[in-house]
């Protein structure tokens, strides 16, 4: 029988007697037993842990790298300081130097962690981290240029937008694409872990999941965006437009696919000037959507489409019925 304590929590009289005599100390004493079981699970490797003197990458600092990089790529949009021609060079120089130091730190930590995780000797990680950071910084002008083409594609393809400012501030497709383009550079120069942290951060913000290993050309436009998935080995050409819910994925994979298919092309190729409408799924590494094709909504494709082809689902039959009133 449950009775009410003074704080309205139930107390079971048959177990504890009067509410004021309810014991709690012996429950606290059971916590060390749980700790012991956790230690046993970690020592048996049935669970995953990071018990090491080697530092681990900081997700928060990697997110800060994304934010600083976007400040550089879109000067004046994400800063509190007002920019004008007389202070622009100083501002960009300061931000880029800060970014270089932050990238060096996180690459260094990540390389050391990766070596530790895979039992490899980690030689010259400090020098390598500086070299990789410089390679990343050196691509910023090209990233800015290709993002400008993405903005132009958005303005061209969406009559609802009124200005590039609106696209930069508001569009989740551009946010996900810009983070992808930053992460893709780091993926290409073989920086471990950091690229996936970046794109999964974009995924959590926008609902758009782009693997940093995917190859995407200029003038890329994702409209609305929620639910878009682009796999690791996907190749997308120039001036491609996707709508919400599009999946560019892999065919059904076996239980050992993680090891057996690691270096195989599993995701489709989308050639230049293709439009893919909402909730369409295109699967398979040998599937090619030819240049200029238009793929309508709610399609499921596992075979290639010739250039210039329109693929549409037949109009469904709607049945209207009503009950006659007596």
């Amino acid at each position: 029988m449950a009775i009410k304590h003074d704080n309205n929590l139930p107390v079971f009289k048959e177990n504890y007697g009067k509410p004021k005599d309810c014991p709690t100390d012996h429950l606290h004493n059971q916590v060390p037993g749980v700790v012991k079981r956790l230690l046993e699970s970690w020592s048996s490797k049935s669970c995953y842990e990071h018990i090491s003197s080697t530092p681990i990458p900081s997700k928060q600092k990697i997110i800060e790298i994304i934010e600083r990089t976007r400040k550089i790529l879109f000067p004046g949009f994400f800063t509190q300081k007002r920019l004008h021609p007389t202070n622009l060079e100083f501002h960009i120089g300061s931000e880029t130097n800060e970014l270089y130091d932050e990238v060096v730190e996180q690459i260094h930590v990540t390389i050391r962690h990766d070596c530790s995780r895979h039992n490899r000797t980690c030689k010259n990680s400090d020098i390598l981290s500086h070299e990789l950071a410089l390679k990343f910084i050196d691509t910023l002008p090209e990233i800015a240029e290709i993002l400008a083409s993405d903005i132009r594609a958005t303005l061209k393809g969406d009559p609802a937008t009124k200005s590039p400012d609106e696209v930069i501030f508001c569009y989740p497709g551009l946010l996900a694409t810009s983070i992808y383009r930053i992460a893709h550079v780091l993926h290409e120069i073989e920086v471990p872990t950091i690229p996936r942290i970046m794109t999964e951060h974009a995924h959590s913000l926008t609902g758009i999941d782009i693997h940093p290993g995917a190859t995407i050309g200029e003038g890329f436009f994702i409209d609305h965006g929620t639910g878009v998935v682009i796999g690791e080995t996907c190749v997308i050409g120039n001036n491609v437009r996707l709508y919400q819910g599009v999946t560019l994925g892999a065919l059904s994979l076996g239980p050992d696919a993680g090891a057996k298919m690691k270096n195989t092309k599993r995701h489709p190729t989308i050639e230049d000037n293709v439009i893919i409408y909402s909730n369409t799924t295109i699967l398979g590494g040998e599937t090619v959507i030819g240049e200029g094709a238009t793929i309508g909504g709610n399609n499921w494709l596992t075979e290639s489409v010739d250039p210039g082809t329109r693929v549409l689902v037949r109009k469904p039959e709607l049945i209207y019925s009503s009950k006659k009133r007596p």
Side-chain angles (χ1 to χ4, degrees), residues 259-274:
K260 292 181 179 179
M261 301 188 69
K262 200 171 281 291
N263 297 313
T264 60
K265 191 175 187 305
R266 308 180 302 280
H267 306 94
T269 295
I270 313 298
E271 294 186 344
D272 296 349
N273 304 306
V274 169

Side-chain angles (χ1 to χ4, degrees), residues 226-240:
T226 306
V228 166
V229 177
I230 301 174
E232 177 189 18
T233 61
C234 192
V235 177
I236 298 176
N238 297 326
N239 305 312
V240 170

Side-chain angles (χ1 to χ4, degrees), residues 47-62:
C47 295
Y48 294 96
E49 44 73 27
H50 178 74
I51 311 300
S52 171
S53 59
T54 304
I56 197 166
S58 167
K59 182 176 179 180
Q60 183 55 48
K61 289 185 178 181
I62 291 167

Side-chain angles (χ1 to χ4, degrees), residues 77-278:
F77 281 94
F78 305 109
T79 56
Q80 294 181 348
K81 181 187 295 185
R82 294 181 62 183
L83 299 183
H84 46 82
T86 59
N87 70 359
L88 181 60
E89 183 175 355
F90 173 80
H91 173 79
I92 296 298
S94 175
E95 289 289 335
T96 306
N97 275 288
E98 289 286 342
L99 177 64
Y100 175 82
D101 290 338
E102 292 171 354
V103 172
V104 167
E105 178 190 31
Q106 286 307 303
I107 290 179
H108 187 213
V109 168
T110 304
I111 290 173
R112 291 184 60 196
H113 171 259
D114 197 59
C115 290
S116 174
R117 179 62 76 190
H118 295 95
N119 297 316
R120 294 196 298 263
T121 302
C122 209
K123 295 181 178 179
N124 301 319
S125 60
D126 184 49
I127 295 173
L128 180 59
S129 63
H130 280 270
E131 291 175 349
L132 294 175
L134 183 59
K135 285 184 178 181
F136 169 70
I137 294 294
D138 192 50
T139 65
L140 292 180
E142 286 73 28
I143 296 175
E145 187 173 342
I146 197 169
L147 285 173
S149 77
D150 298 332
I151 294 169
R152 290 192 295 271
T154 304
L155 292 168
K156 181 179 178 181
D158 185 6
T161 186
K162 297 175 176 61
S163 70
D165 293 7
E166 185 178 12
V167 175
I168 294 168
F169 278 128
C170 307
Y171 274 51
L174 183 70
L175 174 58
T177 300
S178 62
I179 294 175
Y180 152 77
R181 295 208 185 278
I182 294 166
H184 180 68
V185 170
L186 294 168
H187 180 274
E188 288 293 286
I189 60 177
E190 299 184 347
V191 173
T193 311
I194 291 175
R196 287 302 302 273
I197 292 175
M198 288 181 166
T199 53
E200 288 306 322
H201 175 63
H203 186 190
S204 69
L205 292 176
T206 66
I208 299 169
D209 182 0
I210 309 176
H211 193 285
T215 302
I216 301 177
E218 63 183 31
F220 185 54
F221 173 32
I222 303 176
D223 200 358
H224 305 296
T226 306
V228 166
V229 177
I230 301 174
E232 177 189 18
T233 61
C234 192
V235 177
I236 298 176
N238 297 326
N239 305 312
V240 170
R241 186 192 312 175
L242 307 181
Y243 287 81
Q244 69 273 16
V246 168
T247 296
L248 305 177
L251 291 165
S252 179
L253 304 177
D256 299 324
K260 292 181 179 179
M261 301 188 69
K262 200 171 281 291
N263 297 313
T264 60
K265 191 175 187 305
R266 308 180 302 280
H267 306 94
T269 295
I270 313 298
E271 294 186 344
D272 296 349
N273 304 306
V274 169
I275 301 175
I276 305 174
Y277 284 94
S278 59

